[in-house]
């Protein structure tokens, strides 16, 4: 599997598969999760060989009808990703509160660093 597929599996399990890359669909049922890769660490060797491991940083957003629900989901996400033996993720900082006034949705944003086999 790819790191994206593994991430979708882990996140989707928390919200009945309402985990979406980049943006949630219009009218998506809440709560839901949106994720996207936002970079990562580049590894290279002086021997001009490619490493067997790659790194990616993913931004993970929660969206819910209340802030309390968004934070609870964010905590579940951090627990699931950090304890996953498949993803080997670590949180890059604490969560950030978010709000979408046009849809009256409450959210959180958090970044995770994930190392995976290429």
């Amino acid at each position: 599997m790819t790191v994206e597929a593994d991430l979708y599996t882990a996140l989707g399990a928390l919200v009945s598969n309402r985990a979406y890359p980049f943006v949630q669909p219009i009218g998506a049922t809440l709560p839901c999760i949106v994720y996207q890769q936002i970079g990562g660490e580049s590894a290279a060797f002086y021997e001009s060989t490619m490493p067997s491991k790659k790194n990616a940083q993913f931004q993970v957003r929660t969206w819910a009808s209340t802030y309390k629900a968004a934070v609870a989901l964010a905590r579940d996400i951090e627990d699931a990703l950090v304890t996953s033996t498949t993803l080997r993720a670590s949180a890059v900082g604490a969560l950030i509160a978010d709000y979408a006034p046009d849809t009256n949705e409450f959210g959180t944003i958090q970044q995770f660093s994930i190392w995976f086999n290429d």
Side-chain angles (χ1 to χ4, degrees):
M1 290 184 96
T2 64
V3 66
E4 293 85 1
D6 290 338
L7 185 60
Y8 172 80
T9 298
L11 297 176
L14 300 173
V15 287
S16 301
N17 292 326
R18 292 185 309 275
Y20 308 104
F22 304 108
V23 66
Q24 71 195 63
I26 295 172
T29 301
L30 300 178
C32 68
I33 298 168
V34 177
Y35 61 94
Q36 72 180 68
Q37 185 173 347
I38 58 169
E41 292 184 40
S42 188
F45 300 119
Y46 290 114
E47 297 87 14
S48 298
T49 60
M50 294 301 294
S52 62
K53 300 261 186 215
K54 298 277 187 190
N55 177 262
Q57 282 199 16
F58 283 88
Q59 181 180 78
V60 180
R61 291 175 166 260
T62 65
W63 291 109
S65 57
T66 67
Y67 180 64
K68 183 177 180 179
V71 170
L73 179 54
R75 303 267 188 252
D76 290 344
I77 290 167
E78 185 172 4
D79 290 349
L81 296 185
V82 170
T83 61
S84 170
T85 57
T86 304
L87 290 168
R88 305 287 182 196
S90 60
V92 180
L95 64 87
I96 299 167
D98 199 8
Y99 178 68
D102 54 329
T103 57
N104 195 36
E105 294 174 355
F106 296 85
T108 64
I109 306 166
Q110 191 167 14
Q111 294 179 32
F112 295 89
S113 176
I114 300 174
W115 286 94
F116 57 97
N117 291 325
D118 186 28

